[in-house]
Amino acid sequence: MSLILIVEDEPRLLGSIARTLEESGYATLAAETLAAADRQFSDQVDLVLLDVMLPDGSGVDWLATVRGAGNSVPVLMLTARDAVEDRVMGLDTGADDYLVKPFSWDELLARIRALLRRGPQSESTLLKFGPLTVNLLLRQAYRDGSELELQNRQLEILIYLMRHGNEIVTREMVARDVWKEPTATWTNVIQVHINHLRKVLEAPGRPTILHTIRGQGYLLGDPPC
């Protein structure tokens, strides 16, 4: 029996959804706030129905944190906001589907069946190293659940460094494997991007994670001895 977490702040709608799902053979958990959702959420949950506007915050932000932690549970967003930009924002954050209120029960159940058949997002699309997670499909990077604002090239460098975690990566390697060009052409540009990447990764309060090894290159991970 699939377990579905319903995060919805309108009590009557929450109750109606729960009854409909239970009559259709699903087990349910109910949360009217994001704080309650945090308490109910676990690896046992097979799917989340997530409202966007909740009393203690945005469902989109909650979803970003879930995805940043590397959790790929299917998420169907439920919202009265039907503007295209709202749907795009939800999907870009990591939602698997988007249903606008009011909706029919038949459509809701059909969307749920489709997501449960699909199952969790393939782990191959999630790259993890220490406190860092990159969703390779959505091209979003996170540190400790907080999204990092990176340009495309900086994201590519981060992915490369994560794949070589705790290893020294030379500029020659970055030029060859990320830029696909000779080192001499891109040395200064690589350094500029590395400097920006370090500032984003090590914003105030975050421990140093990207190290420059003098005369050798860069190391992402534990401080060199």
Side-chain angles (χ1 to χ4, degrees):
M1 180 183 294
S2 297
L3 178 60
I4 299 176
L5 171 60
I6 309 163
V7 188
E8 166 61 55
D9 68 328
E10 205 287 299
R12 292 181 60 185
L13 179 57
L14 176 59
S16 295
I17 294 173
R19 285 192 299 272
T20 298
L21 296 186
E22 289 164 6
E23 290 170 358
S24 300
Y26 300 107
T28 65
L29 296 171
E32 295 186 12
T33 64
L34 295 177
D38 282 333
R39 292 192 297 270
Q40 299 270 35
F41 188 62
S42 73
D43 291 339
Q44 303 304 310
V45 172
D46 297 298
L47 184 143
V48 179
L49 300 183
L50 179 63
D51 192 14
V52 171
M53 303 299 292
L54 291 151
D56 53 347
S58 165
V60 173
D61 293 339
W62 185 85
L63 175 57
T65 300
V66 169
R67 292 297 188 240
N71 195 300
S72 56
V73 63
V75 173
L76 171 57
M77 301 203 80
L78 304 175
T79 180
R81 301 170 64 173
D82 61 353
V84 171
E85 56 267 27
D86 293 324
R87 296 198 297 271
V88 170
M89 180 174 63
L91 293 170
D92 280 350
T93 303
D96 297 272
D97 202 354
Y98 199 106
L99 191 56
V100 176
K101 303 172 187 176
F103 47 79
S104 74
W105 296 121
D106 286 342
E107 182 177 12
L108 174 63
L109 292 171
R111 300 282 187 102
I112 288 172
R113 289 193 297 270
L115 289 176
L116 289 174
R117 283 197 301 269
R118 186 188 312 173
Q121 177 180 292
S122 171
E123 291 299 318
S124 64
T125 65
L126 295 174
L127 178 64
K128 302 177 187 178
F129 178 76
L132 301 172
T133 301
V134 172
N135 186 313
L136 300 173
L137 181 64
L138 299 176
R139 293 186 64 77
Q140 293 171 336
Y142 302 84
R143 179 168 182 173
D144 296 320
S146 297
E147 187 170 2
L148 305 173
E149 296 295 331
L150 298 172
Q151 298 174 13
N152 284 336
R153 189 64 82 178
Q154 291 149 14
L155 178 62
E156 291 170 4
I157 295 173
L158 176 61
I159 291 170
Y160 188 74
L161 291 170
M162 289 173 67
R163 286 174 170 159
H164 293 269
N166 290 322
E167 301 175 11
I168 294 177
V169 171
T170 66
R171 289 185 184 179
E172 288 78 7
M173 292 169 64
V174 175
R176 181 192 67 214
D177 298 330
V178 178
W179 260 261
K180 313 295 184 184
E181 294 283 352
T183 309
T185 306
W186 297 105
T187 295
N188 293 335
V189 177
I190 290 172
Q191 188 60 52
V192 168
H193 283 293
I194 288 286
N195 290 342
H196 183 83
L197 177 60
R198 179 179 286 111
K199 289 179 182 178
V200 174
L201 290 176
E202 299 166 6
R206 291 173 174 165
T208 299
I209 192 173
L210 177 55
H211 309 275
T212 297
I213 311 301
R214 187 178 297 276
Q216 299 183 63
Y218 313 102
L219 185 147
L220 182 71
D222 298 330
C225 297

